[in-house]
Amino acid sequence: HVQLVESGGGSVQGGGSLTLSCTASGYRPSMAWFRQAPGKEREAVAAVINDGTTDYVDSVKDRFTVSLNTSLWLQMDNLIPEDTALYVCAAASSLRLWPSLKAEDYHDWGRGTQVTVS
């Protein structure tokens, strides 16, 4: 297992931007961002594999950008109140052919960073 630590959350007004980062204690070739709002189920946001291939949930396409180098990043632009949630990063130990948006494909999880959009 690796330890994952997220940072970069905060409070912004609608239309604003935030950049989240997730630092892993070890190398992981497949990583993703999930989020959970109060009273709602956890949902996938974006996933990336080490060749740079990405995938997104429809609600964030064209607004969010995920990237993976020494850390996992999530650039969030044009934020809306519906983006308010605890954002958690996840990592898989095996390389995938395509980024997965399924929680069951990830084995290591961070504690999350809160994003609030008003």
Side-chain angles (χ1 to χ4, degrees):
H1 292 285
V2 295
Q3 290 186 333
L4 304 173
V5 179
E6 303 93 338
S7 62
S11 298
V12 296
Q13 291 188 338
S17 298
L18 282 173
T19 303
L20 306 184
S21 65
C22 172
T23 302
S25 61
Y27 172 72
R28 286 294 182 262
S30 302
M31 297 188 73
W33 287 99
F34 289 78
R35 67 185 179 186
Q36 187 164 19
K40 295 187 178 181
E41 294 186 355
R42 179 177 56 190
E43 67 169 346
V45 176
V48 59
I49 58 177
N50 63 355
D51 69 354
T53 304
T54 59
D55 200 4
Y56 300 88
V57 67
D58 287 346
S59 61
V60 307
K61 284 181 180 177
D62 300 324
R63 300 190 298 121
F64 290 11
T65 304
V66 64
S67 59
L68 176 63
N69 42 50
T70 57
S71 295
L72 175 68
W73 301 88
L74 186 66
Q75 175 65 40
M76 305 186 295
D77 298 315
N78 195 20
L79 285 160
I80 60 178
E82 290 77 12
D83 294 322
T84 296
L86 181 70
Y87 284 71
V88 180
C89 73
S93 57
S94 59
L95 177 63
R96 307 189 62 83
L97 295 178
W98 188 261
S100 173
L101 294 175
K102 298 179 180 179
E104 57 264 34
D105 289 334
Y106 296 93
H107 315 104
D108 298 306
W109 295 82
R111 293 188 175 183
T113 185
Q114 179 67 35
V115 171
T116 302
V117 184
S118 59

